[in-house]
Amino acid sequence: MKVILVNNLYGRHARGGAERVVESEARGLAARDHEPVVVSAIPESDMLSGGVCGVEGCSGPDIIIRGAEGPVRMAEYYPPNIFFYKDLHRHSVPVRLLWHLFDIWNPKSVRMLMKFVRREKPDVVHTHNLMGLGFSIPRALKREGVRHVHTIHDVQLLHPSGLLPADWKGPRLPHGRLYISIMKRRMGSPDVVLFPSEFMKELHERLGFFPESERVVLRNPVGRAGRAGKSGESGARRFLFVGQLEAHKGVLDLLDAWMLWDKHGDATLSVVGSGTLEDVVKRRAEYAPGVNFRGRLEGDEFVRELGRSSWLVVPSEVIENAPTVIVEVLARGIPVIASRTGGIPELVQDGRNGILFEPGDREGLLAALKRAADMKIGGFSLQETQDHTEALEEIYREQ
């Protein structure tokens, strides 16, 4: 079966959980003798300086075939816009608004991708995050008559930032309702829509998305960081934060709570990640006892950091879907301290495999850290009802 997986970022431009899910799915499909090809966006400068069009298999001047990363073929292109998606945070609000307005339609990007789809003749196109590629892609796939599966990773169809406060119940202002109305029309109804959490499925259903689609909850796959068996040091007090160093991820709340903990003794906190608050976090870590700033870690280095940890801390202040890092550490037998937001309580059960506290509650986070330091949680395993790749195969084939 030939499957095109589409995500706005991948490979060297990857930055979050969605990219890890796409990588895991592509590798899983390749391992079962399917033909996955991942299509993602790159900056225009990469097209000009690193293009390899003209080699055998190149689809033309629009999409570049990069060859393969292991068993997975990769294709990249620059979706025309004011600037590249990853540079969004660098610009003012009015400029970002113009970028988003163009991105909702972006007809040229759609034509480029459809040209590639017609050339490849896939059995299925599986789209993931489309921001930066154009939200007219689903309607174009329907016109092509290609079986279309889409995965919801966050709330970018509900708010252009992809971020909503943990207590969000729905749009209050006219422009918020207008955005959701436009996105419902742009996305239409793919053949199947996958949700990694019941929470996210119910939220989109309540707002009227995907009325004619088959809607399925499919948990995120366990990535390579979560496959090495049990980890962590029994009885240790080694806490780990992994994520974007941004205010909405709660990293500053975590550091504040840590500084309020006057008797943490030999407890340590490792901070892994990068983002706009990196310099702030690094400076604060220098003066905070027991805090070790590790920066961005990849591959084996990240796995080793997991192996040294006894608790993961996820203090997010926004709606979360089903964070891949939680799935990965639970698969290794590492318990989690997390805010009670979005789909997280479907993964973390207080007292069984972790501790929950209210989002943005620093005192609650401090209490959770103290509680974790004095308790042991063990003997649990991540509940998986079906192999992720097998589930995808069934979904792809079902007509």
Side-chain angles (χ1 to χ4, degrees), residues 104-105 135-140 142 157 177-190 207-211:
I104 289 173
W105 285 274
F135 287 103
S136 292
I137 289 171
R139 287 184 171 273
K142 186 172 287 290
L157 302 182
R177 292 192 291 270
L178 176 61
Y179 178 79
I180 288 176
S181 177
I182 291 172
M183 298 311 290
K184 285 194 290 189
R185 291 197 296 271
R186 289 294 87 202
M187 291 299 299
S189 292
L207 294 169
F209 278 86
F210 317 118

Side-chain angles (χ1 to χ4, degrees), residues 261-279:
W261 190 3
D262 57 351
K263 295 180 181 179
H264 50 61
D266 62 348
T268 62
L269 169 64
S270 293
V271 179
V272 174
S274 60
T276 60
L277 293 178
E278 185 168 337
D279 289 341

Side-chain angles (χ1 to χ4, degrees), residues 275-341:
T276 60
L277 293 178
E278 185 168 337
D279 289 341
V280 174
V281 172
K282 188 182 298 185
R283 286 196 300 272
R284 292 188 60 174
E286 291 175 356
Y287 300 100
V291 177
N292 180 24
F293 177 75
R294 300 282 284 126
R296 185 180 177 91
L297 299 180
E298 301 284 354
D300 292 342
E301 195 173 11
F302 175 59
V303 173
R304 284 194 294 271
E305 189 65 42
L306 285 183
R308 290 190 289 264
S309 303
S310 49
W311 286 87
L312 174 74
V313 187
V314 184
S316 181
E317 299 180 2
V318 296
I319 288 176
E320 296 284 357
N321 189 356
T324 54
V325 67
I326 292 181
V327 176
E328 290 173 351
V329 301
L330 290 179
R332 298 178 71 91
I334 302 172
V336 179
I337 299 171
S339 53
R340 189 181 280 104
T341 177

Side-chain angles (χ1 to χ4, degrees), residues 154-375:
D154 56 25
V155 294
Q156 63 181 229
L157 302 182
L158 312 183
H159 194 278
S161 69
L163 304 173
L164 287 171
D167 59 354
W168 189 84
K169 303 300 181 184
R172 297 179 180 178
L173 299 177
H175 64 269
R177 292 192 291 270
L178 176 61
Y179 178 79
I180 288 176
S181 177
I182 291 172
M183 298 311 290
K184 285 194 290 189
R185 291 197 296 271
R186 289 294 87 202
M187 291 299 299
S189 292
D191 294 289
V192 184
V193 180
L194 306 179
F195 301 86
S197 69
E198 291 281 358
F199 174 90
M200 200 61 71
K201 177 176 179 286
E202 293 171 1
L203 179 60
H204 283 78
E205 287 178 340
R206 177 165 58 83
L207 294 169
F209 278 86
F210 317 118
E212 299 174 12
S213 301
E214 180 184 359
R215 300 181 293 274
V216 178
V217 173
L218 179 65
R219 302 295 180 186
N220 282 333
V222 177
R224 286 177 291 175
R227 292 181 184 150
K230 303 296 181 185
S231 216
E233 299 175 9
S234 177
R237 293 146 54 96
R238 299 178 62 93
F239 298 91
L240 172 68
F241 171 92
V242 179
Q244 297 175 33
L245 302 184
E246 307 291 347
H248 66 270
K249 289 297 185 181
V251 63
L252 297 183
D253 284 347
L254 174 57
L255 291 174
D256 286 343
W258 189 269
M259 292 299 292
L260 292 172
W261 190 3
D262 57 351
K263 295 180 181 179
H264 50 61
D266 62 348
T268 62
L269 169 64
S270 293
V271 179
V272 174
S274 60
T276 60
L277 293 178
E278 185 168 337
D279 289 341
V280 174
V281 172
K282 188 182 298 185
R283 286 196 300 272
R284 292 188 60 174
E286 291 175 356
Y287 300 100
V291 177
N292 180 24
F293 177 75
R294 300 282 284 126
R296 185 180 177 91
L297 299 180
E298 301 284 354
D300 292 342
E301 195 173 11
F302 175 59
V303 173
R304 284 194 294 271
E305 189 65 42
L306 285 183
R308 290 190 289 264
S309 303
S310 49
W311 286 87
L312 174 74
V313 187
V314 184
S316 181
E317 299 180 2
V318 296
I319 288 176
E320 296 284 357
N321 189 356
T324 54
V325 67
I326 292 181
V327 176
E328 290 173 351
V329 301
L330 290 179
R332 298 178 71 91
I334 302 172
V336 179
I337 299 171
S339 53
R340 189 181 280 104
T341 177
I344 287 179
E346 297 173 36
L347 298 171
V348 180
Q349 290 82 50
D350 199 293
R352 191 186 77 84
N353 61 2
I355 301 172
L356 294 172
F357 66 96
E358 296 305 315
D361 180 3
R362 296 180 188 178
E363 292 297 327
L365 174 53
L366 174 58
L369 291 169
K370 291 179 176 179
R371 181 182 165 196
D374 295 328
M375 68 186 294

